[in-house]
Every structure is written in C-alpha cells, then in structure tokens.
Amino acid sequence: MSVHRTIEFIGNGEGTKDIENSLNRLIDVINELGVKDRSHWALGLKGVKHEMKAHANEILNCAKSFAYYLDNYGKE
C-alpha cells in the first residue's frame, strides 16, 4: 500500500521559494522510497547496503538543504 502525502506550503512568494523547493524535494525523495517493491528492500537489507546508504544520504542532504534555508530565512 502506497500513500503519497503532500504538504500545502503557503509562503510569501520569492521570499520562501527556496524553503518550499527544498521541502518538496525532501518529500519527493521520501515518497520515492515508499513506492519501492519488496524485492528492492530485500536486496538492500541482504547486502546491497551501498544503495541503501545512498538513499539515506540523499534524504540527509535534502533535510540539510531544507534546514539551511529555514535557518537563513529573512537574513538577506
């Protein structure tokens, strides 16, 4: 069962564009993992750990980007 979740982001246009983009990318990356079939996860957990680590690093990088834009919001 796959559930695609979205967040309605109501920002202030250009001022929050980077925050919205990074948040949407993070959501997309997580959703992409949610639609993988069982064989993908079985392979990943049985020894193809480099692929699983790549997924984790992509999520981490997206989260760091999101945090960066949140921390720097309004500091221009």
Side-chain angles (χ1 to χ4, degrees):
M1 178 172 140
S2 175
V3 177
H4 185 81
R5 298 180 191 261
T6 59
I7 295 175
E8 182 180 357
F9 187 89
I10 301 172
N12 64 359
E14 284 297 311
T16 55
K17 178 185 65 150
D18 291 330
I19 295 171
E20 180 178 11
N21 290 342
S22 61
L23 174 61
N24 285 330
R25 179 67 189 136
L26 176 59
I27 292 168
D28 288 345
V29 168
I30 292 170
N31 281 329
E32 288 170 13
L33 283 178
V35 298
K36 301 287 184 185
D37 63 16
R38 289 180 190 203
S39 63
H40 174 84
W41 292 107
L43 286 173
L45 296 175
K46 287 184 180 177
V48 189
K49 292 183 182 174
H50 65 278
E51 185 176 348
M52 303 312 291
K53 287 181 180 179
H55 288 307
N57 283 330
E58 186 174 14
I59 291 170
L60 181 61
N61 288 334
C62 289
K64 285 180 179 178
S65 177
F66 178 56
Y68 171 82
Y69 288 118
L70 281 176
D71 287 345
N72 289 292
Y73 175 69
K75 291 183 180 179
E76 291 104 32

